[in-house]
Amino acid sequence: MAQVNPEKKYKLIGTYTRYSSWTSRVQTVLEYFKIPYEGSFYPLHEAKQVSQSGLVPVLLDPSLSPTIPINDSLAIVEYLAESHPSLPLYPADPLLRALARSAVAEIHSGLSQLRTFDTNYIAHFTGPIPVSEAVLKDIKRVLELWSNARKVTKDRLGAEDEGFLFGKFGIADAFFWPVLWRFRTYNLPLNSASEEAITWISKMWNDPALKTLGRNYFEQAKDPNTRIEKYDEKFKGIPEIAYEVFKEDWEFESK
């Protein structure tokens, strides 16, 4: 992997990532590519106090300005890709780069019904979880997206393909990382997933860098101040649905 400038250190401001898909997407990119940064994480209700827009994540680049923020996860990762062209945040291949950007934009602004299942990384809900037709439609779409990405990439790159959505690990993989946890948290169906999609899912769950990130979500949970009650009690009114916490050593098993 290309080297980054250790003297260039960003500041990431966000909410605790055990519940925050948006902050965790940016953190995943920073951590995976070993881009130096200082993270400051706050409870969700304090977001308006630490962000001019009232929203997080926010990235500060002291080499530009110590006070002017870059808002929104998509704007942040686009800025990182522009600032670190030697890193494969987006694919070098023009077609794959276009497809990767399209996929990132779709999860950023689309698939709204799937995103009604809140991010809750370590939770495990069991029982008759209600999944609407609209959510099933989004699930089908995201599984097709992963499958199509892998098929096109394998054909395009051949032996140079490294098995992530568009070859090397990149922004697209980071943006769908929280979606994988949604599937796990709510036991969402993977029955329509192709072999290509399942292979990518398995690769993500078994990646050492991503496993390290996953352990951090469990570490956060040791601090009660990081807990957001409404997310853990999402199905409080349905006694047949139980809230549990996954074990840290959980392993993905394809069926």
Side-chain angles (χ1 to χ4, degrees):
M1 185 179 294
Q3 298 297 310
V4 297
N5 181 1
E7 297 180 0
K8 185 179 179 69
K9 191 172 186 178
Y10 300 102
K11 182 173 183 180
L12 174 65
I13 300 171
T15 53
Y16 293 115
T17 51
R18 61 178 289 204
Y19 297 106
S20 174
S21 61
W22 301 115
T23 299
S24 69
R25 286 180 168 107
V26 176
Q27 186 186 44
T28 300
V29 171
L30 292 168
E31 289 284 345
Y32 203 95
F33 290 100
K34 296 181 171 56
I35 300 173
Y37 77 100
E38 173 189 333
S40 297
F41 304 103
Y42 300 88
L44 182 61
H45 67 271
E46 293 183 11
K48 292 184 178 180
Q49 301 172 32
V50 298
S51 166
Q52 294 176 14
S53 69
L55 301 172
V56 290
V58 168
L59 189 77
L60 294 171
D61 183 349
S63 69
L64 293 179
S65 167
T67 58
I68 297 178
I70 303 167
N71 298 319
D72 188 274
S73 58
L74 182 53
I76 291 170
V77 297
E78 288 284 346
Y79 177 74
L80 291 173
E82 179 183 83
S83 300
H84 301 277
S86 63
L87 298 177
L89 273 70
Y90 279 122
D93 181 279
L95 173 62
L96 297 181
R97 187 163 63 250
L99 291 176
R101 277 202 161 99
S102 178
V104 168
E106 185 166 353
I107 188 56
H108 184 262
S109 60
L111 300 167
S112 59
Q113 294 305 305
L114 179 57
R115 289 191 280 117
T116 62
F117 283 84
D118 308 302
T119 301
N120 193 336
Y121 280 106
I122 68 172
H124 180 202
F125 292 102
T126 60
I129 296 171
V131 181
S132 69
E133 288 298 320
V135 172
L136 289 173
K137 183 178 179 180
D138 275 1
I139 289 173
K140 181 181 178 182
R141 169 57 191 153
V142 79
L143 293 176
E144 287 176 345
L145 190 154
W146 294 343
S147 179
N148 292 339
R150 289 301 306 131
K151 288 176 181 177
V152 172
T153 299
K154 286 195 294 183
D155 288 344
R156 191 82 174 175
L157 298 182
E160 295 181 2
D161 175 37
E162 295 185 12
F164 289 103
L165 280 179
F166 297 98
K168 298 178 184 294
F169 183 90
I171 289 171
D173 302 281
F175 264 55
F176 283 105
W177 175 233
V179 179
L180 288 182
W181 290 75
R182 280 188 175 96
F183 273 90
R184 188 182 85 152
T185 296
Y186 301 102
N187 194 30
L188 298 177
L190 287 169
N191 52 295
S192 66
S194 68
E195 180 181 347
E196 289 84 1
I198 291 294
T199 300
W200 171 76
I201 291 170
S202 180
K203 184 173 182 64
M204 291 285 286
W205 281 122
N206 289 290
D207 184 87
L210 296 177
K211 280 191 170 186
T212 298
L213 276 172
R215 286 192 289 271
N216 179 256
Y217 307 141
F218 286 91
E219 190 65 28
Q220 289 177 42
K222 295 178 182 179
D223 180 357
N225 293 320
T226 69
R227 184 172 184 259
I228 301 178
E229 184 175 328
K230 68 176 182 178
Y231 293 149
D232 289 348
E233 299 184 356
K234 182 176 179 67
F235 301 107
K236 187 177 181 180
I238 308 176
E240 295 83 6
I241 299 178
Y243 167 85
E244 301 172 358
V245 173
F246 272 102
K247 294 181 179 180
E248 284 192 56
D249 61 357
W250 175 88
E251 296 285 341
F252 173 73
E253 294 182 5
S254 59
K255 296 180 180 179

